[in-house]
Amino acid sequence: MKGFLLFIIGLFSVMSSYAKCGNNGLYVFPKEKNIKQNSIFILEGYADSQGVITKLNKEYPIYLQSGDKKVQLEVVETHKGQFELTQAILKPETELEAGLEYTLYIGGDEHIQNVLTRYNSSPITYKVLSEKDLTSPEVVGQPKVLRKEYIIAGCGPESFVEFSNPAKDDSELLVKTTVKSLNTGKKTTYYLQPTKDKIEVGFGMCSGAFRFNDGDNYEVEFFFMDSAGNIADTKVDKIRFTKPKVKHFGPPY
């Protein structure tokens, strides 16, 4: 009975505070301001802003500009997450010039540019270094499951499986992650950014790439890439895991 009451209290907390999650947001990779001449970019849309991602270079041109020099960004991949996230992988159509500072723009709707600026604290600018990154990430060992978590708190539940990150690189890393349900065969692919030496696969209170709604048993596959698009030569094994179970209720935010 006590456990049931805790569940009801947690559920009420989720419902009453759900409005704390925003209804839009645009986020950009790389996060660092200094980039190499062959850098790639990722634009991620949250909630209502997912529609921007699917219409890039159709209704909403996306480009970098430095003075009168304009470089169009080509959409080379798009991926839809399972909970309020969609991303586009972008590549400059022409090489970026060393020494210039470029600002990222999205045309077609002034409101979208304002959202981009607001959620990244200021206009997105990059200083291009006079070098290219031609070295792939180094992968030593295999990723392993470190822990699992399912918490009901704040705007809603959050659930993730934390894996060790065996990849190293001088630039920011990306992990192309594919999760397959062993119950239904459904696959979802999304680029994740590791947090130091860890890769979190799952979802937060308001959004996330993976939700674990297709049964209890899953398999994940990782490919490691740096911010210039160089893919690690070393392949790692697929890992099977079970989805996290409810462990405890956290305090509301």
Side-chain angles (χ1 to χ4, degrees):
M1 183 65 177
K2 183 178 179 181
F4 179 74
L5 288 175
L6 281 173
F7 178 78
I8 294 297
I9 292 169
L11 182 61
F12 178 77
S13 173
V14 169
M15 295 174 65
S16 63
S17 59
Y18 187 77
K20 291 181 181 179
C21 292
N23 59 8
N24 60 23
L26 291 167
Y27 309 96
V28 180
F29 173 92
K31 294 179 180 178
E32 296 179 0
K33 291 182 65 69
N34 293 327
I35 61 173
K36 304 292 179 65
Q37 287 178 274
N38 59 334
S39 179
I40 63 170
F41 302 85
I42 294 180
L43 182 67
E44 181 177 68
Y46 160 67
D48 292 349
S49 296
Q50 293 178 94
V52 176
I53 306 302
T54 58
K55 296 175 183 176
L56 286 175
N57 292 335
K58 298 171 185 175
E59 294 184 24
Y60 308 119
I62 183 167
Y63 56 93
L64 295 166
Q65 187 152 359
S66 178
D68 60 353
K69 298 180 183 295
K70 184 175 179 179
V71 178
Q72 193 75 24
L73 293 176
E74 176 190 1
V75 178
V76 294
E77 291 182 55
T78 58
H79 296 285
K80 183 173 178 60
Q82 294 182 328
F83 183 28
E84 298 285 17
L85 291 179
T86 301
Q87 64 183 183
I89 289 62
L90 307 162
K91 183 178 180 180
E93 290 187 349
T94 57
E95 187 173 287
L96 302 178
E97 291 189 35
L100 294 185
E101 183 174 271
Y102 290 87
T103 300
L104 178 66
Y105 290 101
I106 301 175
D109 188 332
E110 184 178 347
H111 170 70
I112 293 173
Q113 186 66 31
N114 291 337
V115 170
L116 178 66
T117 299
R118 183 169 77 251
Y119 280 91
N120 294 276
S121 302
S122 61
I124 308 300
T125 59
Y126 292 105
K127 180 68 175 293
V128 182
L129 304 176
S130 57
E131 57 184 302
K132 294 182 180 180
D133 183 353
L134 303 175
T135 305
S136 299
E138 180 184 8
V139 177
V140 180
Q142 297 287 332
K144 298 178 181 178
V145 175
L146 298 177
R147 69 187 181 105
K148 302 176 185 179
E149 197 71 84
Y150 189 110
I151 305 170
I152 297 178
C155 295
E158 57 182 48
S159 177
F160 61 87
V161 180
E162 188 178 87
F163 296 86
S164 59
N165 173 26
K168 306 292 181 185
D169 196 84
D170 291 335
S171 69
E172 294 178 77
L173 279 169
L174 292 166
V175 185
K176 188 173 186 178
T177 304
T178 298
V179 173
K180 175 184 177 181
S181 167
L182 297 179
N183 298 89
T184 67
K186 180 180 178 180
K187 291 183 179 181
T188 299
T189 297
Y190 208 83
Y191 283 86
L192 302 177
Q193 278 191 265
T195 304
K196 295 183 179 179
D197 296 326
K198 301 170 185 175
I199 307 165
E200 289 190 357
V201 177
F203 63 94
M205 292 182 291
C206 299
S207 64
F210 306 101
R211 286 212 75 170
F212 311 130
N213 284 341
D214 296 288
D216 292 334
N217 302 298
Y218 294 85
E219 182 179 77
V220 65
E221 185 173 24
F222 297 121
F223 291 93
F224 299 92
M225 187 170 78
D226 64 20
S227 59
N230 300 307
I231 300 172
D233 295 326
T234 304
K235 302 295 189 296
V236 297
D237 298 333
K238 297 177 182 179
I239 303 172
R240 292 192 172 191
F241 65 94
T242 56
K243 73 177 183 180
K245 305 295 184 182
V246 177
K247 288 186 177 180
H248 63 275
F249 296 90
Y253 286 82

